[in-house]
Amino acid sequence: MDFPFAYSVMEMKFMSDIKLHLDQWHQNLNGRMVSFAGYSMPVQYEGVMTEHLWTRENAGLFDVSHMGQLILSSDSDDVGAALEALLPGNIATLGIDRLRYSLLLAQDGGILDDLMVTRRSDDYYMVVNGAVKHEDMAYIRENLPDSVNLNYMEDHALLALQGPKAGDVMKRLIPETDMLYFMQAASYEWDGISLWISRSGYTGEDGFEISVHNDHAQKLADALIAHEQVKPIGLGARDSLRLEAGLPLYGHDLNPEILPFAASLGFAVPKRRREEGGFIGSDAVLEQFNIGPQMVRVGIKVDGRQPVREGAIIVDEGGETIGNITSGGFAPSLQYPISMGYVPANMATEGTELILQQRGKNIAGFVTSMPFVPNGYRRPPKAA
């Protein structure tokens, strides 16, 4: 199969890897297992296109247990203040049981990872990318006070239920989850099992991420797919869904050579932090904010039917390289190919025509707004 999105041939090769706790569960459901981020993971069950469209219309269940789940706590220090010295987001002012997207930055402002952090009543819960979680943990430990405890929840699985029917399914399982809106979280008990559930995800759809102890992960997964609206979904559709949602993937659209404003992630460095600084990499990040990035991540609609994938370049009329494609493939919801990539800042305006070059062939495209597909997040009703 030609994997349609960001996962490279090297990442997808078959080899011996760490097995997820639900590995046999995936195989019993005919999951095609591949190597990704050092783990054996299901890339598809019925096919990427089928699984993608099912998730857009119903609810898909993803096993994202390769991600790093961390707990940060302290008996003496203000963990929120300590995290603000590390991350560029408004962490200390985050409400209890509220989530925030943030970035782990190097001293020169380059992006080491993107992550989610949640303030809970007694601690902070953080989810980092699986491919770099051990490097993240070492870096976080090095840059936080010794009084802040860092606990890696290696004994917990992480399941993501995504799609417009996800709320209905969760409400039948745990009625109280209907009170959650996008970027809110809470602890629940289901059938005697403790769960930590956030209304979040990385598909652009409404949905939930559910942290559950390994001992109970299969029971929960079975209960979810028992609903006719839910099917298991693999890595392939997860990638195509996040691309349609305009969401960057670390290691592809983000890396240590890219700073937040170039990545079009300025929202992750809010006004107060821009004014005060004080986080790792702040000097370089704020300098880029003040002078403007030279290159900017944009969405690209590709003319014709040929997908333009990661590794392709963007050239000027003389054939000189001026940018690059970092993610791309055929968008099942749109029925045409899309890409993300970096272009000179003066070419980042919507509608700008681009020349994309893949394997020596020029393909026309133009800058378009993101998300490519409108998101379906469940937000609180607006006040009258």
Side-chain angles (χ1 to χ4, degrees):
M1 173 186 174
D2 183 15
F3 297 106
F5 289 92
Y7 305 117
S8 69
V9 172
M10 288 301 294
E11 287 172 323
M12 288 298 185
K13 66 183 179 180
F14 289 82
M15 57 184 293
S16 177
D17 284 290
I18 299 171
K19 295 185 184 298
L20 299 175
H21 191 76
L22 292 178
D23 180 79
Q24 190 59 54
W25 184 86
H26 294 301
Q27 293 190 53
N28 292 344
L29 292 170
N30 297 317
R32 181 179 177 187
M33 310 303 288
V34 299
S35 172
F36 177 72
Y39 287 81
S40 177
M41 297 184 65
V43 67
Q44 63 178 13
Y45 301 85
E46 298 181 48
V48 174
M49 181 81 72
T50 298
E51 293 169 29
H52 177 113
L53 295 175
W54 179 270
T55 305
R56 283 275 183 252
E57 297 169 4
N58 297 280
L61 182 63
F62 302 80
D63 184 359
V64 290
S65 301
H66 65 299
M67 305 286 277
Q69 300 182 70
L70 314 178
I71 298 293
L72 299 108
S73 62
S74 177
D75 294 329
S76 56
D77 278 9
D78 181 344
V79 179
L83 284 174
E84 283 204 351
L86 176 67
L87 308 174
N90 286 331
I91 309 301
T93 58
L94 192 59
I96 293 177
D97 292 344
R98 298 295 186 269
L99 290 71
R100 183 144 291 155
Y101 176 88
S102 197
L103 302 167
L104 194 64
L105 304 177
Q107 294 290 345
D108 63 1
I111 299 173
L112 300 177
D113 200 6
D114 60 341
L115 55 88
M116 297 292 292
V117 59
T118 307
R119 182 184 181 187
R120 309 198 298 189
S121 57
D122 298 319
D123 56 35
Y124 285 78
Y125 170 74
M126 184 183 293
V127 178
V128 300
N129 280 299
V132 290
K133 62 185 176 185
H134 295 290
E135 292 90 338
D136 285 0
M137 285 188 279
Y139 189 77
I140 292 168
R141 178 68 279 161
E142 178 184 354
N143 288 286
L144 286 179
D146 291 341
S147 58
V148 175
N149 303 310
L150 175 63
N151 177 33
Y152 172 35
M153 300 172 66
E154 194 170 7
D155 58 354
H156 276 63
L158 189 63
L159 303 180
L161 183 69
Q162 301 283 293
K165 304 281 181 68
D168 292 338
V169 172
M170 284 302 299
K171 183 167 60 176
R172 293 201 293 274
L173 207 67
I174 305 172
E176 295 82 1
T177 58
D178 194 45
M179 302 295 291
L180 291 178
Y181 290 99
F182 182 56
M183 301 297 273
Q184 297 180 354
S187 59
Y188 298 92
E189 185 171 298
W190 168 74
D191 203 18
I193 298 168
S194 296
L195 305 174
W196 175 256
I197 302 177
S198 65
R199 199 149 198 161
S200 62
Y202 220 60
T203 63
E205 294 292 341
D206 183 23
F208 304 84
E209 292 196 347
I210 310 164
S211 179
V212 55
H213 194 281
N214 286 336
D215 291 347
H216 308 299
Q218 182 169 334
K219 181 177 180 179
L220 176 61
D222 284 339
L224 289 169
I225 65 166
H227 294 268
E228 62 180 9
Q229 298 98 329
V230 182
K231 288 185 178 182
I233 309 296
L235 284 172
R238 178 174 169 83
D239 193 43
S240 57
L241 288 158
R242 70 90 194 169
L243 178 56
E244 288 186 348
L247 300 171
L249 180 65
Y250 189 79
H252 301 269
D253 311 293
L254 309 176
N255 63 53
E257 296 181 2
I258 297 171
L259 277 65
F261 289 98
S264 298
L265 296 177
F267 69 89
V269 191
K271 182 179 179 181
R272 177 174 69 86
R273 306 309 310 278
R274 297 176 192 176
E275 294 173 347
E276 298 176 359
F279 54 89
I280 291 179
S282 59
D283 289 347
V285 170
L286 299 181
E287 179 182 7
Q288 186 183 75
F289 172 68
N290 289 325
I291 66 175
Q294 293 183 333
M295 304 290 288
V296 179
R297 179 175 65 94
V298 298
I300 301 167
K301 181 179 179 181
V302 180
D303 282 352
R305 304 286 291 178
Q306 176 63 48
V308 179
R309 308 187 190 281
E310 178 182 6
I313 58 175
I314 303 169
V315 300
D316 62 17
E317 292 183 352
E320 295 296 318
T321 300
I322 58 171
N324 64 298
I325 300 298
T326 53
S327 288
F330 189 80
S333 304
L334 301 171
Q335 290 297 297
Y336 57 75
I338 58 174
S339 298
M340 283 196 291
Y342 284 82
V343 301
N346 63 357
M347 298 182 68
T349 305
E350 186 172 358
T352 300
E353 296 183 2
L354 302 172
I355 304 171
L356 317 177
Q357 192 174 96
Q358 182 170 251
R359 294 190 289 273
K361 178 183 178 181
N362 287 351
I363 301 171
F366 60 85
V367 176
T368 188
S369 61
M370 295 188 288
F372 298 94
V373 174
N375 65 56
Y377 305 135
R378 188 199 189 212
R379 301 184 185 276
K382 294 182 178 178

